[in-house]
Amino acid sequence: MQTEARVGLVVEGGQIALNSAHGGNGVDGGARKFSQKQPKHELQQQSQIGTIQQLLAGGIAGAFSKTCTAPLARLTILFQVQGMHSDVATLRKPSIWREASRIVSEEGFRAFWKGNLVMIAHRLPYSSVNFYAYERYKKLLQRIPGLESDKGNVSAKLCVHFLGGGLAGITAASATYPLDLVRTRLAAQTNVIYYRGIWHALRIISREEGILGLYKGLGATLLGVGPSLAISFSVYDTLRSSWQSQRPHDSPVLVSLACGSVSGIASSTVTFPLDLVRRRMQLEGAGGRARIYTTGLFGTFGHIFRNEGVLGLYRGILPEYYKVVPGVGICFMVYETLKMLFSDISASD
């Protein structure tokens, strides 16, 4: 959830900044005058086109960003599940270079993208639902007394962003979670291949573990939405406001990328243990293996802490850090590029 939260922050913050830099007030004013002259059905059609464009831009940007950082994402997953079926005392100190070399020599270079297809199949609907639901929830929350859209009420605005982002994240995660679980199981496979693809994995998991087996670890995911968004929003908004007040002429794109990356690192640091617990719960019973964690979310957390210590809760944090900056940057730039492209296409029609 960390990545999704920070991407939403950067894209939204960057878009606001870009609008301001390009004379957003004038554009908005012209749009209002133009909309008053248009028939109602034409406005509805434009609104629908805008929604579709936003869904496409968000989905493609999220999938492309994840594809580019897939090698680091797989390393993160492999480190996170170390110690799950092994004697912790015999584990070597995690080494990104050593694990990367092992993947190349034993599985081939393409193995860095193992599970990438299901990741795209998950990320496209996830990003699309997340962006779309966020806008819908935000408009719904602004109808609540005390949370109306008021430029002078900063606390109400932050509350709308936080609640809207949290509800959107919960909605998107719940709707697409089985694909996230399948992606984890495919990426965690090394030399022994038990799941041969997306549909094969979905079928085997449903048959051996039941429908609820497709939702293992969902509780950890939903529990991490609130803290992840709270940290991301607070760090991002504080840094961006401070930066713009001291250096108002800096590129809004650079400001958004830098602040989004820092907020992502802060969010990952705090919520990474929940992400690790989620991954391990997703692998419970995978490949016909016996279950290890049988006491639920908090029992799993306690089991890992007792057997592996605090450092065990942060296995894989380094590759997670390394993918934050490129992940945010790629997603932001692709999203903005696609929006400009769709805008040009719409204007030429």
Side-chain angles (χ1 to χ4, degrees), residues 238-285:
T238 301
L239 288 177
R240 188 166 175 268
S241 299
S242 176
W243 189 326
Q244 290 184 329
S245 64
Q246 298 181 24
R247 303 176 63 91
H249 301 295
D250 284 353
S251 167
V253 174
L254 174 62
V255 174
S256 293
L257 289 177
C259 295
S261 298
V262 174
S263 71
I265 291 173
S267 174
S268 293
T269 302
V270 176
T271 61
F272 191 81
L274 274 175
D275 189 62
L276 181 139
V277 169
R278 171 174 70 100
R279 295 296 187 191
R280 294 204 178 183
M281 293 186 74
Q282 287 178 331
L283 290 172
E284 275 285 84

Side-chain angles (χ1 to χ4, degrees), residues 42 50 103 176 239 258 308:
E42 291 184 12
I103 292 174
T176 60
L239 288 177
E308 303 176 48

Side-chain angles (χ1 to χ4, degrees), residues 44 61 77 80 98 113 133 151 163 187 195 262 289 291 296 312:
Q44 291 176 342
I77 293 174
Q80 285 178 323
R98 184 166 56 240
W113 281 267
K151 296 181 180 179
L163 291 176
Y195 305 109
V262 174
R289 290 183 174 181
R291 294 188 61 186

Side-chain angles (χ1 to χ4, degrees), residues 118 121 176-183 185-186 194-215:
V118 68
T176 60
Y177 191 79
L179 290 174
D180 182 51
L181 181 137
V182 169
R183 185 273 175 114
R185 295 202 176 185
L186 291 177
Y194 190 79
Y195 305 109
R196 297 192 297 270
I198 301 175
W199 297 113
H200 180 258
L202 288 171
R203 186 169 64 252
I204 294 297
I205 295 171
S206 299
R207 187 176 67 200
E208 295 182 351
E209 305 170 50
I211 297 298
L212 292 180
L214 296 170
Y215 290 89

Side-chain angles (χ1 to χ4, degrees), residues 18-333:
L18 285 173
N19 287 343
S20 301
H22 296 317
N25 292 333
V27 173
D28 290 342
R32 282 194 295 269
K33 292 178 182 178
F34 180 69
S35 64
Q36 292 173 358
K37 301 178 182 179
Q38 285 185 299
K40 185 176 181 180
H41 70 277
E42 291 184 12
L43 289 176
Q44 291 176 342
Q45 185 178 18
Q46 282 191 348
S47 176
Q48 182 63 27
I49 292 174
T51 299
I52 294 174
Q53 291 172 342
Q54 186 180 27
L55 292 176
L56 286 174
I60 294 173
F64 187 78
S65 172
K66 286 290 186 178
T67 300
C68 292
T69 58
L72 288 170
R74 186 168 186 233
L75 287 171
T76 298
I77 293 174
L78 290 175
F79 285 142
Q80 285 178 323
V81 301
Q82 281 185 349
M84 188 173 178
H85 294 285
S86 306
D87 183 3
V88 178
T90 64
L91 290 177
R92 294 183 297 178
K93 183 179 179 180
S95 169
I96 295 177
W97 176 251
R98 184 166 56 240
E99 184 63 20
S101 300
R102 184 203 64 78
I103 292 174
V104 173
S105 61
E106 296 182 6
E107 304 177 57
F109 187 75
R110 292 179 59 186
F112 280 116
W113 281 267
K114 186 177 288 186
N116 187 61
L117 181 60
V118 68
M119 180 278 300
I120 293 176
H122 168 262
R123 202 52 49 181
L124 280 169
Y126 182 97
S127 299
S128 299
V129 171
N130 204 11
F131 277 101
Y132 180 77
Y134 176 70
E135 293 300 323
R136 300 285 79 77
Y137 282 127
K138 189 168 67 173
K139 291 180 180 179
L140 182 63
L141 289 168
Q142 287 172 345
R143 298 176 183 175
I144 300 176
L147 297 180
E148 296 91 345
S149 180
D150 185 1
K151 296 181 180 179
N153 194 342
V154 178
S155 60
K157 185 177 180 180
L158 288 176
C159 184
V160 168
H161 286 319
F162 174 72
L163 291 176
L167 290 171
I170 290 173
T171 301
S174 301
T176 60
Y177 191 79
L179 290 174
D180 182 51
L181 181 137
V182 169
R183 185 273 175 114
T184 298
R185 295 202 176 185
L186 291 177
Q189 293 184 139
T190 52
N191 295 322
V192 179
I193 304 300
Y194 190 79
Y195 305 109
R196 297 192 297 270
I198 301 175
W199 297 113
H200 180 258
L202 288 171
R203 186 169 64 252
I204 294 297
I205 295 171
S206 299
R207 187 176 67 200
E208 295 182 351
E209 305 170 50
I211 297 298
L212 292 180
L214 296 170
Y215 290 89
K216 288 181 177 178
L218 179 60
T221 298
L222 300 184
L223 190 62
V225 170
S228 178
L229 285 168
I231 296 167
S232 294
F233 270 115
S234 57
V235 173
Y236 178 84
D237 187 68
T238 301
L239 288 177
R240 188 166 175 268
S241 299
S242 176
W243 189 326
Q244 290 184 329
S245 64
Q246 298 181 24
R247 303 176 63 91
H249 301 295
D250 284 353
S251 167
V253 174
L254 174 62
V255 174
S256 293
L257 289 177
C259 295
S261 298
V262 174
S263 71
I265 291 173
S267 174
S268 293
T269 302
V270 176
T271 61
F272 191 81
L274 274 175
D275 189 62
L276 181 139
V277 169
R278 171 174 70 100
R279 295 296 187 191
R280 294 204 178 183
M281 293 186 74
Q282 287 178 331
L283 290 172
E284 275 285 84
R289 290 183 174 181
R291 294 188 61 186
I292 300 173
Y293 312 114
T294 59
T295 53
L297 171 60
F298 295 103
T300 300
F301 191 96
H303 183 279
I304 297 172
F305 180 77
R306 288 192 302 271
N307 289 274
E308 303 176 48
V310 176
L311 293 180
L313 294 170
Y314 283 91
R315 293 185 186 275
I317 190 68
L318 285 182
E320 175 70 17
Y321 282 157
Y322 294 154
K323 73 178 182 180
V324 167
V325 177
V328 172
I330 293 169
C331 188
F332 177 80
M333 297 308 296

